[in-house]
Amino acid sequence: MNNPLETLTTSIKTLVENKKYATLRDILITMNAVDIAALMEDIPESSIPLLYRLLPKELAADTFVEMEPEMQELLIHGFSDNELKEVLDELYVDDAVDIIEEMPANVVKRILSAADAEKRQMINTILKYPDDSAGSIMTTEFVELRLHMTVEDAILRIRRSGIDKETINTCYVTSKERKLLGVVTIRDLIMGDPDDTMEELMEDNVIFAETVTDQEEVARMFSKYGFLTIPVVDTEERLVGIVTIDDVMDVMQEEVSEDIDKMNAMLPSEKPYLRRSTFELWKSRIPWLLFLMISATFTGMIIRKFEGALSKFVVLTAYIPMLMDTGGNSGSQSSVTIIRAISLREVEFKDLPVVIFKEMRVSLLCGITLAVCNFAKLMIFDRLTFTVAMVICLTLLFTIFCAKFIGCTLPIITARLGFDPAVMASPFITTIVDAVSLLVYFQFASNMLSL
Amino acid sequence: MNNPLETLTTSIKTLVENKKYATLRDILITMNAVDIAALMEDIPESSIPLLYRLLPKELAADTFVEMEPEMQELLIHGFSDNELKEVLDELYVDDAVDIIEEMPANVVKRILSAADAEKRQMINTILKYPDDSAGSIMTTEFVELRLHMTVEDAILRIRRSGIDKETINTCYVTSKERKLLGVVTIRDLIMGDPDDTMEELMEDNVIFAETVTDQEEVARMFSKYGFLTIPVVDTEERLVGIVTIDDVMDVMQEEVSEDIDKMNAMLPSEKPYLRRSTFELWKSRIPWLLFLMISATFTGMIIRKFEGALSKFVVLTAYIPMLMDTGGNSGSQSSVTIIRAISLREVEFKDLPVVIFKEMRVSLLCGITLAVCNFAKLMIFDRLTFTVAMVICLTLLFTIFCAKFIGCTLPIITARLGFDPAVMASPFITTIVDAVSLLVYFQFASNMLSL
């Protein structure tokens, strides 16, 4: 994949072994912090602090942010109080909070005591917001301007205070009570006349989040409106922070991974696969497996009820897997499509009739295609009688119809009831469709073959 | 979901009916273009051109960009040549290209002839790059600076030319031959001294894409490095365009939808669900359904081979669905987790042994848990004999082991061979696991129950 990076890793390892520190430093300073952090994963643990200390202050802090929590902890343990303070001074508040959230209590204590009073207070502000809220992913470092300021004043303020701010691309105009009044972009400032005031330049229809807004909702606002930052206000409409798009991209990926986990009968986890222990994987997988295994009891009960009939016509058994699999696949096609459309806000509850009508037509088309192909196969290759082939193909048609109906309605209704539609995906729907299709199979068989 | 917006839509509809255009205009100008475009979806088609003409020029163009292609086409048909030219002048090149790509040939011709020569040339440049490449999603409107320029020169250049550029937050330093030399952010310019030159200020380790780089790869660069823009160079390393993060967010969502489609036995589509016709849905779903139905023939063949044995022990049939479903679910848990990890670049081919070892331990844990629970159920509730219960539970254990092994190895090997691992998800794996588990089931049964 990253071939040039892999080659680089190999040569850096050799340089570390041969203690060529000057050369190492020359290479490292040309690299991006993300790549340096990835590289550190691949070199012996004992060399990491050494390599880290070769980096210039700012690059070191940037690299620190990109590392895995385990490595951050390792480095912090090796830091002197002074070194820790230096790193903290370079970090943005939201990055510092992200790091703190992954650290054990004793490390958190050390970090907080190394931070200066102002930063400590900002960190604590963000820490107090609930997980997954806009408050928890925002940063409190933004540029605040006032109505009467001119472009000249504003640029002066940015020059004086901007160095510590996460972004200066978007600045916010607030009242004395810190109420959010408008937004001014750096573009407005550069393009404006030095005497223009913020009141003249600002856009006053500001779209904002509240501290308690769910982070998934915030991510949706970014992708809907195409913003780079969104301001966050508290219950009294005072501006307390901003969320920047880089933090939201992580949230978006996490949410997608969570949805995919849920759609496939797993409890979601935020950790990357390779960092999850066997036990953690087991814990996320066993509940649904157990629940679905027990649900399959119904299917078994149906078969046992028709055991007598089946023993007279064992050939019917051979087509149970095909019917079940096709039903499951048809159902999951519909449910997964609808779940995705719900999460992209393309489908809402009011669309239910349209969706059902559409899926019914699709299921008819799919059902007829499959039934016809299957009928030909049953007659020509399997040499079944016409009636037996009809029983199987009619069941197939009905199963697909039923699977697509359940597959499209359940997620929409689940979402309407306020639950997460993602769990209404293939595994759950397969279990229901299995039972229904078997019932229909044996009913058709009983009537048409007079079992 | 968007209750305030829905209320607004209702009142705007009433205003349209009552022809209160002044009031309508006052409301519309306070709204975001995205919301206006969404609103237009809900009002009668005949009122749309009227409502659109109420918007100030810039807001009108922004709204136009956000509309569905059908509505854009409708409006273009109603535009005079002058109106069309006005809209085009306000559009960024990449947005114009996005619109053109969705229009029928006669509309494209009209658009291109309405654009001025410079814009037409830029549009044609982008149109010539292959779909899904960086070239096709880039814009050619960016700010170019030179090495010797001072901050003062640079800001002057931005003020003169920046109004037409999609972003001024990141500017690029190029040589006379337009080779990319470095990147300067607007922050560097604001914080720098008026006399600092670009050579002093710029970052010269620039991460860039090539025009032919796959758009998915570009999206990955954005989320990996947290950039807001990425420069695009041609084969001679000349800077030809930039990709901005807002365009990439759409790409990311499309790619996730595509993966989800593939993982659930569908051919991917880029259209939103409600805009796809019955026939289009059928076309995307039937190939895999057909293929998987035919594959299930093997499972049927296995059952038919053991028909004689089964007829002596029909109770075994009752547990086929449970075994198949549990196998399918276990397999899809592993495959989907691994497919997601591959697409996030968390797992590579070299991790195969680690992954197999981890999955084997997880499958053992899951298998034992399920087998023990199931054994208890079979003995207590179903009152089976010890041997029959053993046959079922040993098969269950083996099926889970096998499902997780296939589920974790197939995607990694598929990716290594250069194919898309997403198709190696549940439906495909279920079919394989079905066949294997039935074979084992009957083998165990034949030996232990001496059928």
Side-chain angles (χ1 to χ4, degrees):
Chain A
M1 226 44 71
N2 284 320
N3 251 341
L5 267 186
E6 268 172 37
T7 327
L8 195 60
T9 308
T10 319
S11 37
I12 286 180
K13 271 191 206 165
T14 323
L15 288 170
V16 171
E17 276 165 31
N18 300 335
K19 308 197 174 162
K20 302 272 189 204
Y21 300 127
T23 322
L24 268 172
R25 193 188 146 94
D26 289 345
I27 298 180
L28 288 174
I29 57 171
T30 69
M31 289 174 65
N32 185 293
V34 176
D35 295 324
I36 301 178
L39 172 101
M40 298 248 186
E41 297 280 318
D42 287 330
I43 65 168
E45 230 177 58
S46 55
S47 311
I48 293 171
L50 207 147
L51 211 61
Y52 182 81
R53 289 198 172 90
L54 289 176
L55 301 173
K57 221 175 11 177
E58 204 180 324
L59 186 57
D62 289 347
T63 306
F64 190 78
V65 171
E66 301 293 340
M67 290 174 167
E68 296 291 344
E70 288 81 3
M71 202 173 287
Q72 289 168 340
E73 203 182 327
L74 179 91
L75 280 175
I76 292 177
H77 282 305
F79 282 161
S80 69
D81 285 347
N82 236 343
E83 278 177 311
L84 184 55
K85 198 173 156 30
E86 262 182 33
V87 174
L88 278 173
D89 286 347
E90 292 283 335
L91 290 186
Y92 291 122
V93 171
D94 56 342
D95 291 330
V97 170
D98 286 348
I99 292 168
I100 284 175
E101 281 174 338
E102 299 284 333
M103 293 295 135
N106 60 330
V107 178
V108 173
K109 222 164 140 187
R110 227 189 120 205
I111 294 178
L112 285 177
S113 63
D116 58 43
E118 193 196 2
K119 191 157 254 170
R120 185 162 51 236
Q121 201 220 317
M122 289 197 279
I123 291 174
N124 280 323
T125 307
I126 300 178
L127 278 176
K128 77 166 192 263
Y129 291 108
D131 255 19
D132 300 341
S133 68
S136 75
I137 55 169
M138 73 184 186
T139 176
T140 49
E141 295 160 317
F142 53 87
V143 180
E144 231 175 317
L145 304 172
R146 288 286 146 83
L147 279 182
H148 59 82
M149 284 184 173
T150 62
V151 166
E152 216 179 334
D153 299 336
I155 290 185
L156 253 176
R157 148 103 41 138
I158 294 174
R159 276 181 65 96
R160 268 206 315 266
S161 73
I163 200 78
D164 288 331
K165 306 309 178 191
E166 180 151 347
T167 180
I168 60 162
N169 296 347
T170 314
C171 305
Y172 295 93
V173 182
T174 53
S175 69
K176 256 193 214 145
E177 300 79 35
R178 305 201 67 186
K179 288 218 165 130
L180 178 60
L181 301 175
V183 50
V184 173
T185 63
I186 192 81
R187 178 188 206 122
D188 300 328
L189 296 178
I190 298 277
M191 296 298 171
D193 283 325
D195 299 334
D196 289 344
T197 65
M198 294 308 106
E199 191 163 10
E200 293 163 325
L201 284 183
M202 75 181 187
E203 165 67 55
D204 53 5
N205 295 306
V206 189
I207 288 175
F208 57 84
E210 290 172 44
T211 48
V212 294
T213 307
D214 188 90
Q215 61 173 0
E216 201 174 343
E217 188 53 41
V218 178
R220 207 166 286 124
M221 290 164 74
F222 273 93
S223 66
K224 179 174 174 192
Y225 294 108
F227 294 139
L228 297 179
T229 45
I230 286 184
V232 182
V233 302
D234 65 11
T235 43
E236 276 132 69
E237 287 183 23
R238 284 176 310 210
L239 181 64
V240 291
I242 60 171
V243 176
T244 51
I245 194 163
D246 52 315
D247 301 311
V248 155
M249 286 183 78
D250 299 339
V251 171
M252 285 170 70
Q253 279 194 337
E254 269 172 35
E255 300 291 345
V256 169
S257 296
E258 268 186 33
D259 272 4
I260 291 182
D261 282 353
K262 285 186 214 148
M263 284 198 270
N264 292 281
M266 288 175 279
L267 304 182
S269 154
E270 284 180 14
K271 274 200 202 170
Y273 176 74
L274 290 178
R275 291 185 47 226
R276 294 163 71 186
S277 70
T278 305
F279 184 67
E280 283 172 315
L281 285 169
W282 174 79
K283 255 195 346 195
S284 76
R285 293 180 186 180
I286 197 71
W288 274 103
L289 282 183
L290 209 50
F291 172 77
L292 294 168
M293 185 181 79
I294 293 168
S295 315
T297 305
F298 293 105
T299 335
M301 277 162 58
I302 295 169
I303 295 186
R304 294 200 73 170
K305 202 182 144 218
F306 289 91
E307 217 170 76
L310 257 187
S311 63
K312 278 186 261 164
F313 239 106
V314 186
V315 65
L316 288 180
T317 317
Y319 300 95
I320 291 180
M322 185 275 291
L323 288 171
M324 281 175 44
D325 282 350
T326 308
N329 292 333
S330 303
S332 76
Q333 285 181 335
S334 301
S335 65
V336 159
T337 306
I338 297 300
I339 291 168
R340 179 74 183 150
I342 293 174
S343 95
L344 292 176
R345 295 284 186 274
E346 288 169 9
V347 164
E348 295 169 43
F349 186 69
K350 72 171 165 55
D351 301 315
L352 186 59
V354 184
V355 170
I356 292 180
F357 186 55
K358 200 187 270 276
E359 286 297 317
M360 292 304 84
R361 279 174 300 167
V362 176
S363 71
L364 219 61
L365 269 184
C366 286
I368 291 172
T369 319
L370 292 183
V372 168
C373 295
N374 200 40
F375 191 80
K377 181 211 152 219
L378 294 179
M379 297 294 286
I380 300 170
F381 295 105
D382 298 0
R383 304 194 167 277
L384 298 188
T385 66
F386 178 81
T387 329
V388 174
M390 276 307 278
V391 167
I392 295 170
C393 290
L394 284 178
T395 308
L396 184 63
L397 197 64
F398 184 87
T399 302
I400 293 168
F401 196 79
C402 183
K404 290 215 177 284
F405 180 79
I406 298 174
C408 76
T409 47
L410 264 194
I412 298 185
I413 292 172
T414 310
R416 175 62 168 202
L417 297 177
F419 298 105
D420 190 335
V423 296
M424 288 299 152
S426 30
F428 195 78
I429 283 172
T430 301
T431 307
I432 303 179
V433 172
D434 279 357
V436 176
S437 67
L438 276 179
L439 262 181
V440 173
Y441 192 32
F442 293 130
Q443 216 49 258
F444 277 143
S446 307
N447 292 340
M448 295 174 65
L449 304 172
S450 27
L451 294 179
Chain B
M1 224 42 76
N2 283 321
N3 253 340
L5 267 186
E6 268 173 36
T7 328
L8 195 60
T9 309
T10 320
S11 37
I12 285 179
K13 270 191 206 163
T14 323
L15 288 170
V16 171
E17 277 165 30
N18 300 335
K19 309 195 174 164
K20 303 271 189 205
Y21 300 127
T23 322
L24 269 171
R25 192 188 147 95
D26 289 345
I27 298 179
L28 289 174
I29 56 171
T30 69
M31 289 174 65
N32 186 292
V34 176
D35 294 324
I36 300 179
L39 173 100
M40 299 248 186
E41 296 279 319
D42 286 330
I43 65 169
E45 232 178 55
S46 55
S47 312
I48 293 172
L50 206 148
L51 211 61
Y52 182 81
R53 289 196 173 91
L54 291 176
L55 301 173
K57 221 171 16 173
E58 205 181 322
L59 186 58
D62 289 348
T63 306
F64 190 78
V65 171
E66 300 293 341
M67 289 174 167
E68 296 292 343
E70 287 81 3
M71 202 173 288
Q72 289 169 340
E73 205 182 326
L74 179 91
L75 280 175
I76 292 177
H77 282 305
F79 281 162
S80 69
D81 284 348
N82 236 343
E83 279 178 310
L84 183 57
K85 199 174 154 32
E86 262 183 33
V87 174
L88 279 174
D89 286 347
E90 292 283 335
L91 291 186
Y92 291 123
V93 170
D94 55 342
D95 291 330
V97 170
D98 286 347
I99 293 168
I100 285 174
E101 281 174 338
E102 299 284 334
M103 294 294 135
N106 60 329
V107 179
V108 172
K109 223 165 140 187
R110 225 188 122 207
I111 294 178
L112 285 177
S113 63
D116 59 43
E118 193 197 1
K119 190 157 256 171
R120 184 163 52 239
Q121 201 221 316
M122 289 197 280
I123 290 174
N124 280 323
T125 308
I126 299 178
L127 278 175
K128 77 165 193 265
Y129 291 108
D131 255 17
D132 301 340
S133 68
S136 74
I137 54 168
M138 72 184 186
T139 177
T140 49
E141 296 159 316
F142 52 88
V143 180
E144 230 173 316
L145 305 171
R146 289 286 146 81
L147 277 183
H148 59 82
M149 284 183 174
T150 62
V151 166
E152 216 178 334
D153 299 335
I155 290 185
L156 253 176
R157 147 102 42 138
I158 293 174
R159 276 182 64 94
R160 267 206 315 267
S161 73
I163 200 77
D164 289 331
K165 305 309 179 191
E166 180 152 349
T167 181
I168 61 163
N169 296 347
T170 314
C171 305
Y172 295 92
V173 182
T174 53
S175 69
K176 257 193 214 145
E177 299 78 35
R178 305 202 65 186
K179 287 219 166 132
L180 178 61
L181 301 175
V183 51
V184 173
T185 64
I186 192 81
R187 178 188 207 123
D188 298 329
L189 296 179
I190 297 277
M191 297 295 172
D193 283 325
D195 298 334
D196 288 344
T197 65
M198 294 308 106
E199 190 163 11
E200 292 164 325
L201 284 183
M202 75 182 188
E203 165 68 54
D204 53 4
N205 295 305
V206 190
I207 288 175
F208 56 85
E210 290 172 45
T211 49
V212 294
T213 308
D214 189 272
Q215 60 174 1
E216 201 174 344
E217 188 53 40
V218 179
R220 206 167 286 123
M221 290 165 74
F222 273 93
S223 66
K224 180 175 173 190
Y225 294 107
F227 293 139
L228 298 179
T229 44
I230 287 184
V232 182
V233 302
D234 65 10
T235 42
E236 277 132 67
E237 286 184 23
R238 283 176 311 210
L239 181 64
V240 291
I242 60 170
V243 176
T244 51
I245 194 164
D246 52 316
D247 301 312
V248 155
M249 286 183 79
D250 299 339
V251 171
M252 286 170 70
Q253 279 195 338
E254 269 172 36
E255 300 291 346
V256 168
S257 296
E258 269 186 32
D259 272 3
I260 292 182
D261 282 354
K262 284 186 214 147
M263 284 198 270
N264 291 282
M266 288 175 279
L267 305 182
S269 154
E270 283 180 14
K271 274 201 202 171
Y273 177 73
L274 291 177
R275 292 185 46 227
R276 293 163 70 187
S277 71
T278 305
F279 184 67
E280 282 172 315
L281 285 170
W282 174 80
K283 254 193 350 194
S284 77
R285 293 180 185 180
I286 198 72
W288 273 103
L289 282 183
L290 209 50
F291 172 78
L292 293 169
M293 186 181 79
I294 294 168
S295 315
T297 306
F298 293 105
T299 335
M301 278 162 58
I302 295 169
I303 295 186
R304 295 199 72 169
K305 201 181 145 221
F306 289 92
E307 218 170 76
L310 255 188
S311 63
K312 277 185 260 164
F313 239 105
V314 186
V315 65
L316 287 180
T317 317
Y319 300 95
I320 291 180
M322 185 275 292
L323 289 171
M324 281 175 45
D325 282 350
T326 307
N329 291 332
S330 305
S332 75
Q333 285 181 335
S334 301
S335 66
V336 159
T337 306
I338 298 300
I339 291 168
R340 179 74 184 150
I342 293 174
S343 94
L344 293 176
R345 296 284 187 273
E346 288 168 9
V347 163
E348 293 169 42
F349 185 70
K350 72 170 166 54
D351 301 315
L352 187 58
V354 184
V355 170
I356 293 181
F357 185 53
K358 199 187 271 276
E359 286 296 317
M360 292 303 86
R361 279 174 300 166
V362 177
S363 71
L364 218 60
L365 268 185
C366 287
I368 291 173
T369 318
L370 293 183
V372 168
C373 295
N374 200 40
F375 191 80
K377 182 209 152 219
L378 294 178
M379 298 294 286
I380 299 169
F381 295 104
D382 299 0
R383 304 194 167 278
L384 299 186
T385 65
F386 179 82
T387 329
V388 174
M390 276 306 279
V391 167
I392 295 169
C393 289
L394 283 178
T395 308
L396 184 64
L397 196 63
F398 184 87
T399 301
I400 293 168
F401 196 79
C402 184
K404 290 214 176 283
F405 180 79
I406 298 175
C408 76
T409 47
L410 265 193
I412 298 184
I413 292 171
T414 310
R416 176 62 168 202
L417 297 176
F419 298 105
D420 189 336
V423 296
M424 288 300 152
S426 30
F428 195 79
I429 283 172
T430 301
T431 307
I432 303 178
V433 172
D434 280 357
V436 175
S437 67
L438 275 180
L439 263 181
V440 173
Y441 192 31
F442 293 129
Q443 217 47 259
F444 276 144
S446 307
N447 293 339
M448 295 174 66
L449 305 172
S450 24
L451 295 178

